[in-house]
Amino acid sequence: MSDREEHDEHVFRLTRRKALKGLALGIGTMVLPAKDASASVWDSFFQKNFRELSRPERQKILARLEKEYSATYKKSVRVKDTPSPEGVLFGYGLDLSRCVGCRRCVYGCVTENNQSRDPQVHWIKVLRLSKERGVDLEHSEQYYNPATVPQEGYFYMPVQCQQCENPPCTKVCPVQATWKETDGIVVVDYNWCIGCRYCMAACPYGARHFNWKAPGLPAGEMNPETHYLGNRPRPVGVVEKCTFCMQRTREPDGKYPACVEVCPVGARKFGNLLDPTSEIRNVIENKRVFILKEDLNTQPKFYYFYSV
Amino acid sequence: MQKVWAFVQGCFLLLRKGSKLYYAWVFSLLVLIAIGVVAYANQLYNGLIVTAMRDQVSWGFYISNFTFTVGVAAAAILLVIPAYVYDWEPIKEIAILGELVAVSAMVVCLLFVTVDIGRPDRFWHLIPKIGILNFPQSLLAWDVVVLNTYLVLNFGIASYMLYSYYYRREPNMKYVFPLLMFSIPAAISIHTVTAFLYNGLAARPFWNASILAPRFLASAFCSGPAGMILMFQVVRKWTNIEIKDKAIFKIAELIAYAMFINLFLLGAEIFKEYYSDTVHLAPVKYLYQGLGGHSDLVSFIWTATIFNLTAFFLFLIPQTRENYVTLNIGCVLMFIGVFIEKGMGLVIPGFVPDVLGDFYEYSPTGTEILVSIGIWATGLLVFTLLLRIAVPIMNGDFHVGEDGVKPHIGDQLFFVRKRVAVEDEDLYSP
C-alpha cells in the first residue's frame, strides 16, 4: 500500500468515525424531546431561522409541515407563509364600555388558533375590575365565575398581545426567534425558539405563553387553515402568542381576527392604522382612548376606548 | 505538545488513585448525579410541566440556583485581588483554589441554564455563525459570552499554573499576570450581566431598580467566600495541603465589609419602596409581609434576613471572626442566607404578583429538587477532581519524574485523616 493510499484510508476512517460519533450524539440529544417525530426530524433539527430561508427552502419546509400535520390530524392541513402586506399597520380597538366579560373571545381564539386544550392555553385574558378602583391590575380577577355577566359594580378588560411598536420581548430573545413584522405583528418562529422564556419575563402584558407540555389538540378540533408564524400546531417547549390571526387578516380578502368576529357586543374593532378611512382610525380620532402601561414606552397598537 | 499530553495522562492516572474515603465520596456524588440525570430525563420526556413553573412564574428554582452560583464563581476575585494585586503571601498560596471554585461554579451555572430551557436540543442556535446569537441586544447573549469567557479564563489560568508546577518551574508571569488582571473585571462582569438580565426588564418593578447590580456583587462577595472558608478547612484537614489561619481570617474580614454594603443597599431599596408606597411595592410586600393572603416566601426571607444579620455581626467582631466555632456558624448562616435572598427571594417576587395582577405561588417540585441536587453534585465532583490534581501538585506530591516523562505520584491517598501517615506512601509510588 502506498503512502497515499494509506493516508486516504486513514482519512476515511477518521471521517466515518466522526460521522458515527456525530450521529450517536445527535440521536442521543434528539430522541428524548422528540419522541413522536418521524424521519423529518433531521430536516427540522437542522432548519435555519425562518427569516434566513430562501423562497424554495421555505416552500420545502411548508410542504414538510403540511405533510406532517395532515398525517397527525388526519385532515388536509394548509400551512401558509403569507408575508406582511404592503402599506398596512394593524391596530386593534377595544371598547371598555361595551365589553360584558363573557369570554367568548377567549374561546373563539382557542378554536381558531389551535391552542392547547389540555393544558389550557389562552392568548386572551379577561380581567374583572371593580368600578371603584378603575384599572388597578393588582386587584383584578381572571377567574371570576358568576351565573351571568356583567356583574354589578364591575367592568371587564380583556388583555392580549398589544403588538408593541417597541416590544421588550423581541429585544431580549437570545437567538432572534421572535421579531416584529412590518405590519406590526410580533411573531415567533416555533422552530427556532429555544424555550428560555426570557421574553415572558420581559412582557408587561403577560401575552406570551409557554408549552409546558406537548399541546393537547384533538384532531377533530384542529383548524387546518394555518400560518407558519401563526396558528400552526406548536411543539412542546416553545413560546407562543397572539398574532392578530395573521392567517385570516393577512389574506387578500382580509377577514377580521376571530375574537373580533365572535364578540357578541361589538366591543372589538380592528383595521389598518395607515388607512385614514379605517374603523380603527375613527376610534383613535374620535373616542377617549388609552393604552395599557403607557409609562413603559412599549407603544402598544392595542387601544382601549370608551364609546359612551 | 507531547509534554501536555504526558501531563494530561498523568492527571488521569492520579484521578484513579485515592483512599477508600476518596472513592466513597466520588461514588456517592456519582449516585446523586445519576438520580439527577433520571429526574432530568423524566423532565425531557414530559416537558417542563413536571416543574412547578407556569406562565405566571416562568422562572423558578433552576434560575434561582443559577443566579446564586454566578455569585459564587465571581467571588474568586476576592482571593485573586489580595493575592496578586497586593501580593499578600498567605492568600497567594491558595488563590489557585479560588480559581478552581470558579471553574466548578461556572459548570454548575451552565448546567442550571441548560436544564431550564424548553428545547435543549436547540442549544446550537446560540452558537454564533452556526446559529444566531442576538448580541449585543439580548442580555442573555451577553451572559453566554461572559460566562464562557470567565470559565475558559479561570480554567486556562489554573491549568497553566498547575502545568508549570508539575514540570517544576515557575509559571511565566508575563502571560499569567495580564490574564489574572483581566479575570477581575471578568468576574465583576459575570455578576453584573446576570443582574442586568433582570434589571433591564421594565415589566418587573421588583428587579427594575438601579441598585440591583451593586447588591448582586455585594452579596456574592459574602456567600462565595463563606463557602470557601468552610471548604478550605475541610481541605486542610483531610488533605495534605497547608492553608494558613491568617488567610482564612483575612477572607472573613473582607466578608464583613461586603455584608455591610449588602445590608446597606438592601435597606436603601426597602426604604425607597415603602416610603414611596406605589403600586411597585406589591412584590416587596409579598416577599416580606405576604400580600392578599399569599405568603409562601415570608418565612424564607425572614430566615435569610436573620441569618445574614447574625452572620454579619459574627464576621464583624474580631473575636468571633477568629474563633473557628463562631466563624463556621457565620459561614453556614451566610451561605444559606444569601442562597435564599439571591435565589428564590430575588427571582420569585419578580413574578408575584404577575404583570396582570395574578397570584401564582411557586414552590419547586420533586423533579426540580432532584435535578438541582444532581447539578450541585456534578459541581462538587468537578471540584473534587480538580482538587485531586491541584493539591498534590501544590504540595509537591505530584510532578514529573526523574526521567522527565513519567509522572511521580507521591500522594496515593488524597483524602487522609492525618498528615503523618502520608510520608510512608512514597514507597508505593511508581
Side-chain angles (χ1 to χ4, degrees):
Chain A
M1 202 190 277
S2 75
D3 280 349
R4 182 61 199 257
E5 275 168 332
E6 198 178 73
H7 176 75
D8 282 351
E9 200 189 55
H10 185 62
V11 168
F12 171 71
R13 248 193 262 134
L14 268 183
T15 43
R16 188 181 54 186
R17 188 184 300 156
K18 265 187 199 155
L20 286 175
K21 219 171 165 184
L23 196 72
L25 270 174
I27 292 173
T29 46
M30 297 181 54
V31 160
L32 285 166
K35 57 190 150 110
D36 301 323
S38 60
S40 60
V41 141
W42 290 105
D43 292 332
S44 133
F45 180 77
F46 290 112
Q47 189 180 314
K48 289 192 282 185
N49 184 304
F50 192 67
R51 281 193 292 181
E52 290 190 326
L53 298 169
S54 65
R55 193 75 221 129
E57 281 174 322
R58 281 191 187 191
Q59 250 137 25
K60 225 177 108 190
I61 288 165
L62 296 183
R64 188 190 78 219
L65 291 175
E66 283 178 351
K67 210 173 120 193
E68 246 178 64
Y69 298 149
S70 299
T72 312
Y73 298 100
K74 313 270 185 298
K75 57 176 96 171
S76 165
V77 178
R78 217 177 125 212
V79 185
K80 296 174 287 200
D81 68 336
T82 320
S84 180
E86 296 230 352
V88 173
L89 188 65
F90 288 122
Y92 204 111
L94 203 142
D95 187 348
L96 289 180
S97 45
R98 281 224 171 87
C99 178
V100 292
C102 68
R103 284 185 288 218
R104 255 174 248 189
C105 49
V106 176
Y107 292 95
C109 173
V110 167
T111 317
E112 169 66 29
N113 288 301
N114 289 323
Q115 270 123 286
S116 171
R117 314 312 204 249
D118 175 36
Q120 286 195 31
V121 174
H122 293 168
W123 288 353
I124 303 175
K125 297 249 186 287
V126 182
L127 309 183
R128 188 185 70 182
L129 298 159
S130 87
K131 287 185 174 166
E132 276 171 28
R133 284 188 165 271
V135 181
D136 173 6
L137 298 178
E138 207 194 296
H139 289 85
S140 70
E141 178 56 61
Q142 296 176 25
Y143 312 103
Y144 59 93
N145 195 21
T148 55
V149 286
Q151 289 165 278
E152 198 60 44
Y154 292 108
F155 70 104
Y156 301 89
M157 187 162 95
V159 182
Q160 61 204 71
C161 176
Q162 313 272 306
Q163 314 291 0
C164 306
E165 192 53 29
N166 181 20
C169 53
T170 60
K171 189 157 91 180
V172 299
C173 177
V175 293
Q176 292 183 11
T178 178
W179 63 88
K180 189 181 72 187
E181 301 257 284
T182 54
D183 56 0
I185 310 294
V186 176
V187 294
V188 182
D189 182 351
Y190 311 124
N191 276 43
W192 192 257
C193 171
I194 60 170
C196 70
R197 309 186 296 289
Y198 197 9
C199 54
M200 297 174 71
C203 176
Y205 306 104
R208 289 178 163 262
H209 306 275
F210 187 70
N211 286 283
W212 299 99
K213 67 185 277 196
L217 174 59
E221 294 175 33
M222 194 257 172
N223 172 13
E225 264 309 298
T226 72
H227 192 289
Y228 180 92
L229 296 170
N231 62 336
R232 71 181 167 107
R234 270 80 64 188
V236 63
V238 304
V239 167
E240 61 178 61
K241 66 182 287 299
C242 158
T243 64
F244 280 174
C245 282
M246 56 159 58
Q247 68 281 0
R248 300 161 64 106
T249 52
R250 271 189 183 180
E251 293 310 297
D253 52 347
K255 278 198 279 184
Y256 279 134
C259 50
V260 175
E261 209 172 84
V262 81
C263 179
V265 293
R268 290 169 170 266
K269 309 291 174 200
F270 182 79
N272 181 5
L273 289 169
L274 302 180
D275 174 6
T277 63
S278 68
E279 202 177 4
I280 186 71
R281 278 287 287 272
N282 183 43
V283 165
I284 292 174
E285 280 155 28
N286 300 307
K287 305 291 177 192
R288 288 174 293 140
V289 164
F290 81 92
I291 49 175
L292 194 51
K293 302 193 182 186
E294 89 282 359
D295 53 325
L296 301 186
N297 191 32
T298 49
Q299 303 162 34
K301 286 186 289 287
F302 196 97
Y303 303 91
Y304 292 95
F305 69 100
Y306 300 96
S307 62
V308 283
Chain B
M1 208 56 219
Q2 229 173 355
K3 282 177 91 177
V4 176
W5 182 232
F7 172 63
V8 173
Q9 274 183 317
C11 288
F12 277 101
L13 206 64
L14 186 65
L15 290 182
R16 288 209 301 271
K17 293 185 190 297
S19 58
K20 281 204 180 104
L21 191 65
Y22 167 71
Y23 266 87
W25 170 243
V26 169
F27 185 74
S28 35
L29 288 178
L30 285 173
V31 170
L32 291 179
I33 293 169
I35 293 172
V37 167
V38 172
Y40 181 58
N42 173 50
Q43 178 187 308
L44 272 184
Y45 188 81
N46 291 306
L48 283 164
I49 193 92
V50 298
T51 71
M53 291 184 274
R54 293 295 179 265
D55 281 0
Q56 296 92 331
V57 178
S58 52
W59 283 339
F61 197 54
Y62 295 150
I63 295 298
S64 301
N65 274 285
F66 158 76
T67 311
F68 176 75
T69 41
V70 175
V72 173
I77 60 162
L78 225 64
L79 298 189
V80 170
I81 294 176
Y84 294 98
V85 180
Y86 297 108
D87 249 329
W88 203 62
E89 279 305 326
I91 284 191
K92 207 166 187 173
E93 290 161 11
I94 52 167
I96 210 160
L97 298 184
E99 280 147 23
L100 298 181
V101 169
V103 170
S104 323
M106 292 317 296
V107 170
V108 172
C109 280
L110 294 171
L111 285 174
F112 270 116
V113 181
T114 310
V115 297
D116 186 68
I117 65 175
R119 298 297 301 223
D121 54 319
R122 297 183 184 165
F123 79 95
W124 61 274
H125 293 182
L126 281 164
I127 303 169
K129 302 289 175 210
I130 306 173
I132 301 170
L133 187 67
N134 190 11
F135 189 86
Q137 275 245 308
S138 170
L139 261 305
L140 208 54
W142 278 81
D143 224 16
V144 170
V145 172
V146 294
L147 292 180
N148 283 296
T149 308
Y150 191 66
L151 173 62
V152 170
L153 197 61
N154 275 290
F155 187 74
I157 294 173
S159 31
Y160 172 72
M161 305 266 265
L162 291 173
Y163 173 78
S164 306
Y165 295 142
Y166 174 82
Y167 281 107
R168 306 186 118 167
R169 57 176 191 229
E170 276 302 304
N172 188 342
M173 289 312 276
K174 212 169 71 191
Y175 302 126
V176 183
F177 194 72
L179 290 178
L180 276 168
M181 289 303 106
F182 179 56
S183 79
I184 297 169
I188 293 173
S189 80
I190 59 167
H191 219 32
T192 305
V193 170
T194 308
F196 283 178
L197 204 71
Y198 301 101
N199 205 182
L201 307 180
R204 312 281 172 182
F206 185 70
W207 300 333
N208 196 217
S210 42
I211 212 166
L212 198 72
R215 269 187 68 197
F216 263 54
L217 284 169
S219 65
F221 295 151
C222 304
S223 57
M228 281 188 214
I229 289 181
L230 292 172
M231 183 270 298
F232 285 159
Q233 292 177 62
V234 173
V235 170
R236 160 166 101 163
K237 186 163 182 197
W238 291 91
T239 75
N240 214 350
I241 197 167
E242 279 222 44
I243 296 171
K244 294 198 178 72
D245 282 350
K246 254 201 320 213
I248 289 181
F249 298 149
K250 179 58 87 184
I251 298 169
E253 192 188 331
L254 295 175
I255 293 178
Y257 305 145
M259 194 35 126
F260 169 72
I261 298 172
N262 186 32
L263 291 170
F264 175 71
L265 292 177
L266 177 69
E269 192 156 334
I270 298 273
F271 165 77
K272 173 241 174 190
E273 295 294 8
Y274 272 96
Y275 195 78
S276 53
D277 192 17
T278 67
V279 64
H280 290 176
L281 180 60
V284 179
K285 249 189 180 157
Y286 169 68
L287 180 61
Y288 283 95
Q289 293 173 271
L291 188 59
H294 306 276
S295 55
D296 273 10
L297 290 180
V298 175
S299 52
F300 282 103
I301 198 67
W302 283 108
T303 309
T305 310
I306 292 165
F307 277 19
N308 282 344
L309 275 170
T310 315
F312 170 59
F313 287 112
L314 288 178
F315 280 85
L316 191 65
I317 303 162
Q319 286 81 1
T320 44
R321 175 165 82 216
E322 291 178 6
N323 173 326
Y324 275 106
V325 178
T326 41
L327 176 71
N328 288 341
I329 293 173
C331 287
V332 171
L333 292 180
M334 194 166 282
F335 199 79
I336 298 172
V338 176
F339 179 73
I340 298 172
E341 187 207 312
K342 270 290 91 50
M344 300 277 281
L346 175 97
V347 174
I348 309 307
F351 294 106
V352 185
D354 88 340
V355 286
L356 296 182
D358 193 12
F359 283 90
Y360 171 76
E361 290 213 273
Y362 167 90
S363 62
T365 61
T367 303
E368 281 168 283
I369 290 168
L370 291 179
V371 169
S372 303
I373 289 174
I375 293 175
W376 278 101
T378 313
L380 280 178
L381 180 67
V382 168
F383 187 63
T384 306
L385 298 181
L386 289 172
L387 275 188
R388 176 68 187 108
I389 295 163
V391 167
I393 290 182
M394 286 165 71
N395 61 27
D397 283 331
F398 177 53
H399 53 78
V400 71
E402 296 297 313
D403 57 354
V405 187
K406 280 228 164 64
H408 165 90
I409 298 179
D411 176 8
Q412 298 281 335
L413 294 177
F414 183 42
F415 273 4
V416 284
R417 198 179 284 272
K418 287 267 178 226
R419 274 172 213 180
V420 237
V422 190
E423 294 302 321
D424 318 320
E425 300 301 327
D426 264 352
L427 298 171
Y428 306 104
S429 59

